[in-house]
Amino acid sequence: MEKVSALKDQGNKALSAGNIDEAVRCYTDALALDPSNHVLFSNRSAAYAKKGDYENALRDACDTIKIKPDWGKGYSRKAAALEFLGKLEDAKGTYQEGLRQEPGNQQLKEGLQNIEARLAEKSMMNPFAMPNLYQKLENDSRTRELLSDSSYRELLEQLRNKPSELGTKLQDPRVMTTLSVLLGLNLSEMEEEEEPTPPPPPKPKETQPPPPKEEDLPENKRKALKEKELGNTAYKNKDFHTALKHYEEAIQHDPTNMTYISNQAAVYFEMGDFEKCRELCEKAIDVGRENREDYRQIAKALARIGNSYFKQEKYKEAIQYLNKSLSEHRTPDVLKRCQQAEKILKEEEKLAYINPDLALEAKTKGNDAFQKGDYPLAMKHYSEAIKRNPKDAKLFSNRAACYTKLLEFQLALKDCEECIRLEPSFIKGYTRKGAALEAMKDFTKAVDVYQKALELDSSSKEATEGIQRCMVSQTTRNDTPEEVKQRAMSDPEVQQIMSDPAMRMILEQMQKDPQALSDHLKNPVIAQKIQKLIDIGLIAIR
């Protein structure tokens, strides 16, 4: 058993130092000698989780529970692995099962609270992702009959997996009906005033279990606490030398408490000695693991290492340790700092990728492919050129031409607008934008854009001919209802207008009373929206 203990300690040290493979090897060797040791399975589960191998982390957590079903940490490990695997409902069930075994376990309570918040947020963001989706639709008479239609079920699965496509499906009356049921609303009566619902009562704060009374502690721990309080006072007064002295005294009295070492690390952090801060944090983690310290304290020390790297602008290392902290205990502050570091690192990598010479090479390849009519390949090369030189307006103009050839008009418009933003005097940005709008049969806007091109160059043949084509097309257009519908469905602006309850009411009023149009046109915002619907062909004025 001494060898098992030595291997376990060796594994703990390797895990603290970030040497995950070595930690897994040590725990595995120890388990070969003691296969019924639940702590070893739990520790190896933590190592696998830090490695990103969540399947093995889950397997070891299940073995931990199997060996010792009344130990809360096994359930925490299992729930964490399930959460990383995206199985949030299963993770919630695991936390609940753990609390039935160990009702007072604070880590399980917080884990359950966090997972419930994530599930609630997910349901609010995408109502089609709620777990009891089909049951809720089956129980409502408005959607019960729809469930027998296989195309409706396909639509539900599509919106469950790709909620971003909801905007393009709002014209489907089945979607509006389904949203009414899932959100508990009557969307056909949204314009009616509703009585405000009173806010829910504030959630009672969970009280932490009271710490043991000082008189109940051994003499050495009482002395250590007094030294810690003196150290905290000195720390608040920025008297760092005195603070370190008191924390050292506390460690001498109680060397098994990682908090005092962690406090020393905090002092060095404030002093800007980040190397020493990290060294003490690692030491504190070792002491904490050896003495089964609360996970939150371990997470706090790991977060401090991450923050020290962040201060030194070493974002890769910061992300590594902040993620380790989050795998021990998730807190909003650490998560926010980790996301911030990831964003900065991504931006740095993006800037490091910029190379105008390589951008020119990619542009030349794109031009060759475009001349040969291979537009997908040309688009690929232009996209690479944009990554290499994102400030070159002409690259966006070239890619817009590809998108237009591939009938991806919305993407072409987006590139044209970026081109114009980067170089407002570049005429091709306007003519290509006009061509994209013309292809979308949005002739009024196309004419406006061509006019702007003529302001830059009054002799532009491309702009002049574009205006003439739009004028002719606008007077002779004869679109089929299917063409109009297809064009409207692919235009986000039209979708937004048609999903606005106030605009739907105005359109119904105009249909019943054509004279109402003149009143509504006095409002410039409404007039602009009506003009858009006229341009797209959804409204015809006779």
Side-chain angles (χ1 to χ4, degrees):
M1 287 301 136
E2 283 182 16
K3 191 172 181 182
V4 171
S5 182
L7 283 166
K8 185 184 83 170
D9 292 342
Q10 198 178 334
N12 291 347
K13 285 177 183 175
L15 192 62
S16 298
N19 192 348
I20 311 300
D21 290 331
E22 175 64 14
V24 170
R25 186 193 66 76
C26 291
Y27 295 139
T28 303
D29 290 349
L31 280 166
L33 299 170
D34 185 5
S36 60
N37 190 319
H38 64 282
V39 175
L40 290 173
F41 276 111
S42 172
N43 288 7
R44 193 170 69 173
S45 175
Y48 277 132
K50 288 187 180 185
K51 192 180 178 182
D53 187 352
Y54 304 120
E55 291 290 351
N56 275 323
L58 177 60
R59 196 174 295 114
D60 274 0
C62 290
D63 285 334
T64 304
I65 294 168
K66 189 176 178 182
I67 295 166
K68 192 165 177 62
D70 58 346
W71 194 47
K73 194 177 287 185
Y75 295 94
S76 293
R77 298 283 194 218
K78 182 180 176 182
L82 287 166
E83 192 172 348
F84 278 119
L85 289 166
K87 299 177 180 179
L88 302 187
E89 283 292 340
D90 291 343
K92 178 184 173 182
T94 301
Y95 281 124
Q96 290 169 334
E97 186 184 347
L99 284 168
R100 283 194 288 273
Q101 296 289 339
E102 198 178 326
N105 188 302
Q106 193 62 29
Q107 191 180 3
L108 289 172
K109 286 180 182 177
E110 289 184 2
L112 179 60
Q113 198 173 6
N114 288 339
I115 204 77
E116 284 177 339
R118 284 188 68 189
L119 283 165
E121 183 184 353
K122 189 176 176 186
S123 294
M124 285 301 291
M125 288 170 64
N126 181 11
F128 293 91
M130 60 174 59
N132 60 338
L133 172 71
Y134 287 102
Q135 184 184 344
K136 197 161 187 177
L137 297 176
E138 180 68 40
N139 292 339
D140 195 289
S141 57
R142 289 173 288 174
T143 48
R144 190 180 299 124
E145 294 298 324
L146 293 173
L147 287 169
S148 59
D149 183 353
S150 60
S151 67
Y152 176 64
R153 286 179 174 271
E154 285 175 15
L155 176 66
L156 292 177
E157 287 304 317
Q158 188 179 353
L159 292 172
R160 183 200 288 269
N161 297 322
K162 292 184 180 178
S164 59
E165 294 187 2
L166 177 59
T168 64
K169 306 292 183 187
L170 289 174
Q171 298 304 310
D172 189 332
R174 297 177 301 174
V175 173
M176 298 301 286
T177 304
T178 306
L179 282 172
S180 299
V181 174
L182 297 179
L183 299 176
L185 303 170
N186 188 346
L187 296 180
S188 63
E189 297 175 3
M190 283 297 283
E191 62 270 18
E192 293 182 12
E193 289 187 8
E194 295 178 3
E195 287 187 14
T197 54
K203 244 183 161 182
K205 287 187 178 178
E206 286 192 16
T207 54
Q208 297 287 339
K213 292 180 181 177
E214 195 171 316
E215 57 267 24
D216 297 336
L217 293 171
E219 178 68 18
N220 69 314
K221 290 188 181 290
R222 287 206 300 274
K223 286 181 179 178
L225 280 173
K226 283 178 183 174
E227 291 294 340
K228 177 195 166 190
E229 286 167 10
L230 291 168
N232 289 350
T233 303
Y235 176 79
K236 287 173 187 173
N237 294 328
K238 305 287 183 184
D239 185 356
F240 297 135
H241 177 74
T242 305
L244 286 170
K245 182 182 171 186
H246 285 300
Y247 291 141
E248 187 58 42
E249 285 293 324
I251 293 166
Q252 296 303 318
H253 289 303
D254 184 7
T256 64
N257 192 326
M258 70 172 282
T259 305
Y260 310 135
I261 308 170
S262 191
N263 285 7
Q264 281 186 324
V267 174
Y268 281 108
F269 184 93
E270 288 297 320
M271 292 168 67
D273 189 345
F274 299 119
E275 285 294 334
K276 187 66 177 175
C277 166
R278 290 193 283 268
E279 180 190 323
L280 287 167
C281 283
E282 295 284 8
K283 185 179 175 184
I285 292 164
D286 286 343
V287 171
R289 291 198 190 281
E290 286 167 13
N291 294 280
R292 300 179 184 275
E293 184 56 83
D294 189 298
Y295 275 84
R296 284 169 291 189
Q297 294 300 324
I298 304 285
K300 194 174 178 182
L302 288 165
R304 186 167 283 129
I305 295 175
N307 284 326
S308 73
Y309 279 122
F310 189 94
K311 280 276 188 182
Q312 293 182 302
E313 298 182 356
K314 296 178 179 179
Y315 299 113
K316 270 189 181 177
E317 293 86 349
I319 291 164
Q320 180 188 354
Y321 278 92
L322 291 169
N323 273 322
K324 285 182 180 182
S325 174
L326 290 168
S327 70
E328 295 285 346
H329 178 66
R330 293 180 75 85
T331 62
D333 290 344
V334 176
L335 181 61
K336 186 178 178 182
R337 178 51 61 90
C338 188
Q339 289 169 341
Q340 192 179 354
E342 286 170 345
K343 185 178 178 182
I344 293 170
L345 183 63
K346 188 177 179 183
E347 192 60 34
E348 284 184 349
E349 288 172 349
K350 190 176 172 183
L351 290 171
Y353 198 71
I354 292 174
N355 185 322
D357 293 335
L358 292 177
L360 186 59
E361 282 182 28
K363 179 186 175 184
T364 304
K365 289 177 183 177
N367 291 347
D368 290 343
F370 191 91
Q371 293 296 328
K372 292 172 185 175
D374 191 346
Y375 304 121
L377 181 61
M379 183 192 70
K380 182 184 173 184
H381 288 307
Y382 289 139
S383 295
E384 175 64 18
I386 286 168
K387 286 179 189 174
R388 292 290 187 183
N389 191 2
K391 300 294 182 186
D392 188 341
K394 294 176 180 64
L395 295 174
F396 286 97
S397 170
N398 288 6
R399 192 170 68 175
C402 283
Y403 281 136
T404 302
K405 292 287 186 183
L406 294 167
L407 308 182
E408 292 285 357
F409 303 121
Q410 289 293 341
L411 294 173
L413 278 179
K414 190 178 175 184
D415 271 3
C416 289
E417 281 158 9
E418 183 63 16
C419 170
I420 292 166
R421 187 188 71 80
L422 289 169
E423 198 173 329
S425 60
F426 184 53
I427 193 168
K428 272 196 177 178
Y430 297 94
T431 55
R432 282 180 171 156
K433 182 178 179 182
L437 288 164
E438 187 182 345
M440 293 167 70
K441 299 193 177 182
D442 197 342
F443 300 118
T444 304
K445 278 191 179 178
V447 168
D448 289 342
V449 175
Y450 283 133
Q451 290 285 9
K452 285 178 184 174
L454 286 173
E455 288 170 18
L456 292 171
D457 181 5
S458 58
S459 62
S460 171
K461 185 180 176 184
E462 203 173 343
T464 305
E465 289 178 355
I467 291 173
Q468 290 170 354
R469 284 195 307 272
C470 287
M471 293 296 189
V472 172
S473 299
Q474 205 159 16
T475 54
T476 60
R477 71 188 300 164
N478 188 22
D479 300 326
T480 66
E482 190 57 40
E483 286 175 333
V484 172
K485 184 181 176 184
Q486 190 176 356
R487 194 161 59 246
M489 288 291 284
S490 63
D491 191 322
E493 191 181 347
V494 174
Q495 292 165 22
Q496 192 176 5
I497 293 169
M498 296 306 293
S499 62
D500 181 353
M503 275 304 296
R504 288 210 304 271
M505 187 174 71
I506 288 167
L507 293 172
E508 285 174 16
Q509 189 181 356
M510 284 167 51
Q511 196 171 11
K512 293 173 186 174
D513 179 13
Q515 295 299 320
L517 175 62
S518 57
D519 294 330
H520 290 305
L521 288 176
K522 291 174 186 175
N523 183 324
V525 176
I526 294 172
Q528 188 180 2
K529 290 180 179 180
I530 290 173
Q531 185 61 52
K532 174 67 180 178
L533 298 179
I534 292 171
D535 292 342
I536 211 78
L538 282 176
I539 295 179
I541 306 295
R542 295 184 178 87

